[in-house]
Amino acid sequence: GQQLNQSPQSMFIQEGEDVSMNCTSSSIFNTWLWYKQDPGEGPVLLIALYKAGELTSNGRLTAQFGITRKDSFLNISASIPSDVGIYFCAGGTSYGKLTFGQGTILTVHP
Amino acid sequence: EAQVTQNPRYLITVTGKKLTVTCSQNMNHEYMSWYRQDPGLGLRQIYYSMNVEVTDKGDVPEGYKVSRKEKRNFPLILESPSPNQTSLYFCASSTGQGGGYEQFFGPGTRLTVL
């Protein structure tokens, strides 16, 4: 199946710092999404992107759908302790088929 | 409260003993899906369903069965579980609009096969 390469695998940052993570693929995706998973819970949708080149914000989060449709990035500004968790990118191709990246583990030190 | 529920939340079983993990959603969603999560591999799609009686394979369907007889329920069946199916399983649902990608996830079921 298709694969997404997500980086970095983990990040250790200080509270207040900005964070950037990205996903790349050799395949084209119609949709890019970013999910966050808190410990012991299921993933929660953060941002969905449907058009190549689209830049979308959700509070302190900003994500972009790469112009080639093969990549996406997520930025978090002014991190806070509750940003801790695992962030997943996901790419959609045909209806209902969703491929996830390996995840980025984010740790925020107060 | 809008939610996706899974049962059981934790299960330890032995190789070859058939088991079913139930999934139910109360949002009248047309689309439902099952994933497994393993360290370093992210979430991998097992099966998905676009509507009642319509199911399709995801990326890792081997060893699993599903059925969608009612809109709200989407059980995952392991006919003969093996140790390599030890994993964290998530059910998800979506309205289906825009491709079904904006999914609500359940709390997960941690399965151990001895």
Side-chain angles (χ1 to χ4, degrees):
Chain A
Q2 294 166 310
Q3 290 189 328
L4 297 183
N5 298 309
Q6 186 171 346
S7 65
Q9 288 187 332
S10 60
M11 302 182 74
F12 298 85
I13 63 171
Q14 292 292 130
E15 183 176 358
E17 290 184 0
D18 295 344
V19 172
S20 184
M21 59 190 78
N22 69 81
C23 254
T24 61
S25 174
S26 57
S27 304
I28 288 174
F29 288 93
N30 297 327
T31 306
W32 282 94
L33 307 101
W34 287 90
Y35 284 84
K36 181 194 176 195
Q37 184 179 29
D38 289 330
E41 298 184 10
V44 173
L45 179 66
L46 298 174
I47 291 180
L49 303 153
Y50 289 93
K51 293 181 182 179
E54 179 181 358
L55 183 71
T56 297
S57 293
N58 179 8
R60 293 180 295 106
L61 308 178
T62 301
Q64 184 158 29
F65 189 147
I67 197 73
T68 64
R69 295 166 63 192
K70 293 182 178 181
D71 63 324
S72 177
F73 72 75
L74 174 70
N75 288 340
I76 305 172
S77 63
S79 59
I80 58 178
S82 63
D83 289 335
V84 165
I86 306 177
Y87 291 80
F88 290 101
C89 63
T93 51
S94 55
Y95 182 93
K97 276 193 68 74
L98 205 54
T99 300
F100 280 80
Q102 305 95 322
T104 295
I105 302 171
L106 178 63
T107 303
V108 180
H109 295 287
Chain B
E1 179 189 357
Q3 59 184 350
V4 177
T5 57
Q6 297 179 226
N7 282 292
R9 294 289 313 278
Y10 302 90
L11 179 60
I12 300 175
T13 189
V14 296
T15 299
K17 186 176 181 182
K18 181 180 178 179
L19 66 91
T20 300
V21 183
T22 65
C23 173
S24 183
Q25 50 93 5
N26 63 0
M27 295 170 279
N28 201 35
H29 284 171
E30 292 191 348
Y31 174 96
M32 298 184 75
S33 184
W34 275 103
Y35 298 86
R36 60 177 290 173
Q37 182 177 14
D38 302 289
L41 297 178
L43 287 91
R44 293 179 292 169
Q45 194 172 39
I46 303 172
Y47 271 95
Y48 62 98
S49 170
M50 291 174 280
N51 214 324
V52 175
E53 301 292 2
V54 182
T55 63
D56 208 347
K57 296 178 181 179
D59 291 323
V60 289
E62 294 78 18
Y64 305 95
K65 285 177 57 177
V66 293
S67 68
R68 187 92 183 273
K69 292 182 169 49
E70 306 168 277
K71 198 172 189 178
R72 64 181 294 130
N73 296 322
F74 190 44
L76 179 69
I77 303 158
L78 284 72
E79 294 269 3
S80 183
S82 62
N84 64 12
Q85 292 178 298
T86 291
S87 187
L88 179 58
Y89 290 86
F90 287 100
C91 180
S93 73
S94 168
T95 61
Q97 293 179 359
Y101 306 122
E102 298 185 21
Q103 300 180 12
F104 291 84
F105 282 80
T109 294
R110 186 166 292 281
L111 173 65
T112 302
V113 184
L114 302 175

